[in-house]
Amino acid sequence: MERKQIFAALELADHEVRLVVGEFHETRFNVLRVERIKSSGIVNKKIVDERNIINAIRKAIQNCSQTLGYKIERVLLAIPSVDVARFNKRIHVNVENGSKRVRLSHIQSGVNEAIAYQPDRDLELVNIGCIKYITNGITSRKMPLDEVCDVLTMSIDLLYANKEIVYSYARCVEKAGLEIIDICLDSYAIAEEAAIFEQTVDKYVILIDLQRQNTTLSLFTHGKLVNCEVLESGYGDWISPLKDEYQLSLDVGFRLIQNTCALEEKEIQDSVVYIWAQGGVNHQLTERDVYNCVIGPIRSWFAMINEACQPIIDSGNVNYILSGEGLEIQEIEKLAKQLNAPSQVYVPQTIGARDCALVSCLGLFYSWKAQMAIRKDERTSCDQRDVEKAVGSMGKGLDDESGFTKKLKSMLLSDK
């Protein structure tokens, strides 16, 4: 039986730490645990309170480890798509063996030569993107193992990001006592989860990742991530008027527009949706009150997206894909018709993680899985012996006479 491969994916978001633990087993992927711990140490993608982030990471790991019965030691880490730069390297590898057949070692040699490239001292390599293999004049995205040729040519996309940010995120994880298996751009991870690369054969796709403080726009075409831009406006700006006018927290404001408020004027009612007490005085909000506060900033956000993307829209066939925590506000999908190109909302369908906020974490698993064949890195996020011990302990509990399953069975089969 195939050994279970358990990985933990970590994202340091602008107001919380997100941790998803999952396993690959017999071609299937299963989510084992999700932890979301509030934090306040990141402003505009930059870590401003390292201690706050470290404590949140430790709490998330502790909660997961206690629940699962084994320690999480290593993680896959999402890196924000800040100052992303793409470079393509064309590498020629001589196939020097008796049979002239391409081996994995030839591909690894080509990748190692490509990643040695350092274009700028302020950038750090984060992702190996699209790889095209050329043998005997034939181009393929599939590794040409056992193909006969004299020279293997590889066209390799390299994705870099802001070095200072990459190191600051990695430093927090390591100070929390964790080892990093791999890093990946959050936009690249979302594209892996949402199968965006497969949709870009004959068109452009603009990914809109809507978070509380920021919105990240990522452009994809021909199976490649071409560019990223971070806009300093997120769904937090929509609910700030509720905070300013009614002194409600951002969390409360988010829940109000997520669960109780329509965002199309023809559907708005005057029913009371929230009641609270402050200073001994009772207050209440109607659906119309909420709508009047948030609709202006929401419309401004859509106008900002249209303006930022208009040059791309003018150049050809374009689709938008929206995701990120902000798309948990389901009414936004109805307003997406304000965008200047066709759009769709991506919601993950993985059992246990059907939440737009978790798309990046889910994509980390698939991004790493795709690289494992080349990198031959067998590390997982926990000690396999601890996993087997925990699973064995669970099985023993189920077979034991005192186990709940045994008791239930005896009650159901009893003649008394």
Side-chain angles (χ1 to χ4, degrees):
M1 181 178 292
E2 183 183 352
R3 182 173 68 94
K4 294 183 178 181
Q5 296 175 309
I6 297 177
F7 296 100
L10 180 67
E11 180 182 16
L12 310 182
D14 50 22
H15 68 102
E16 65 182 7
V17 166
R18 300 165 184 157
L19 179 69
V20 179
V21 180
E23 65 172 6
F24 289 101
H25 181 52
E26 296 180 349
T27 72
R28 296 192 304 272
F29 174 73
N30 304 305
V31 170
L32 303 178
R33 183 71 180 175
V34 173
E35 284 289 337
R36 299 172 67 173
I37 305 297
K38 292 188 181 301
S39 63
S40 57
I42 294 178
V43 176
N44 291 327
K45 306 293 186 181
K46 295 182 179 180
I47 294 176
V48 296
D49 187 344
E50 192 176 82
R51 178 53 52 188
N52 184 286
I53 299 298
I54 292 171
N55 289 339
I57 295 171
R58 286 174 175 168
K59 185 175 181 180
I61 293 294
Q62 182 181 16
N63 290 351
C64 271
S65 298
Q66 288 179 347
T67 301
L68 296 173
Y70 44 83
K71 185 179 179 182
I72 303 299
E73 300 175 345
R74 290 169 286 275
V75 296
L76 304 168
L77 177 63
I79 299 295
S81 301
V82 177
D83 298 335
V84 172
R86 170 182 165 269
F87 296 88
N88 181 270
K89 298 296 291 181
R90 197 173 182 89
I91 306 296
H92 303 282
V93 181
N94 292 323
V95 182
E96 297 176 343
N97 54 36
S99 63
K100 294 291 184 178
R101 293 185 181 275
V102 176
R103 304 299 185 196
L104 181 61
S105 59
H106 296 122
I107 295 173
Q108 291 172 328
S109 174
V111 171
N112 288 337
E113 182 179 343
I115 64 177
Y117 178 65
Q118 184 60 47
D120 190 300
R121 62 184 299 177
D122 294 326
L123 297 175
E124 183 69 24
L125 177 65
V126 181
N127 278 95
I128 300 172
C130 174
I131 302 179
K132 291 183 179 180
Y133 305 93
I134 304 170
T135 55
N136 302 316
I138 299 174
T139 302
S140 174
R141 292 179 184 270
K142 183 179 179 180
M143 287 191 292
L145 297 177
D146 287 330
E147 290 285 336
V148 177
C149 64
D150 293 321
V151 177
L152 167 66
T153 300
M154 300 172 64
S155 176
I156 305 175
D157 271 1
L158 303 173
L159 298 172
Y160 296 77
N162 184 290
K163 185 173 185 177
E164 182 181 350
I165 289 179
V166 172
Y167 276 64
S168 65
Y169 276 61
R171 186 166 55 246
C172 283
V173 174
E174 291 175 344
K175 285 187 176 182
L178 296 168
E179 181 182 341
I180 298 172
I181 299 175
D182 193 35
I183 60 176
C184 179
L185 291 173
D186 51 10
S187 55
Y188 192 94
I190 294 172
E192 287 279 15
E193 164 63 21
I196 290 176
F197 293 113
E198 292 78 3
Q199 302 177 44
T200 61
V201 175
D202 58 352
K203 63 183 177 183
Y204 293 100
V205 171
I206 298 175
L207 170 65
I208 302 175
D209 178 20
L210 175 59
Q211 301 294 333
R212 179 172 290 187
Q213 295 180 8
N214 307 93
T215 301
T216 302
L217 303 178
S218 303
L219 177 64
F220 298 83
T221 187
H222 295 95
K224 300 177 181 181
L225 171 58
V226 178
N227 194 24
C228 296
E229 181 179 354
V230 179
L231 307 179
E232 293 186 1
S233 177
Y235 74 81
D237 292 341
W238 307 351
I239 52 185
S240 287
L242 289 170
K243 179 181 179 182
D244 296 338
E245 188 167 344
Y246 300 103
Q247 290 73 56
L248 299 178
S249 69
L250 292 178
D251 288 335
V252 170
F254 179 73
R255 291 197 299 271
L256 283 174
I257 61 173
Q258 179 187 19
N259 301 316
T260 65
C261 181
L263 293 176
E264 290 191 292
E265 190 169 8
K266 62 184 179 181
E267 299 178 1
I268 298 299
Q269 301 179 9
D270 292 313
S271 55
V272 175
V273 295
Y274 190 63
I275 300 174
W276 76 103
Q278 186 176 24
V281 179
N282 290 330
H283 303 270
Q284 64 181 31
L285 271 179
T286 65
E287 184 178 355
R288 190 172 300 278
D289 292 331
V290 176
Y291 172 82
N292 289 336
C293 276
V294 304
I295 194 60
I298 291 175
R299 288 172 177 164
S300 296
W301 181 84
F302 276 105
M304 176 190 67
I305 298 297
N306 286 338
E307 181 180 358
C309 299
Q310 191 61 51
I312 304 298
I313 303 300
D314 292 339
S315 66
N317 185 14
V318 182
N319 276 19
Y320 288 106
I321 293 180
L322 297 87
S323 199
E325 186 182 29
L327 273 300
E328 285 301 304
I329 305 169
Q330 296 181 13
E331 289 288 314
I332 293 302
E333 186 169 6
K334 296 180 181 179
L335 299 183
K337 58 181 178 287
Q338 298 181 27
L339 291 170
N340 51 4
S343 66
Q344 67 182 85
V345 172
Y346 179 77
V347 180
Q349 297 302 306
T350 304
I351 295 174
R354 291 174 175 170
D355 191 314
C356 290
L358 303 176
V359 178
S360 182
C361 284
L362 292 173
L364 289 173
F365 294 104
Y366 296 108
S367 175
W368 176 242
K369 189 72 172 176
Q371 297 181 56
M372 290 177 67
I374 295 178
R375 296 177 61 168
K376 286 295 182 180
D377 189 337
E378 299 295 330
R379 289 178 299 167
T380 58
S381 287
C382 45
D383 191 306
Q384 186 64 25
R385 292 168 297 181
D386 291 342
V387 175
E388 293 171 355
K389 183 178 179 181
V391 172
S393 176
M394 290 172 63
K396 183 179 179 180
L398 291 173
D399 293 334
D400 191 13
E401 287 292 336
S402 61
F404 175 76
T405 304
K406 202 77 170 180
K407 287 183 178 181
L408 181 60
K409 182 178 179 181
S410 64
M411 286 188 290
L412 293 174
L413 298 179
S414 175
D415 292 332
K416 296 182 180 180

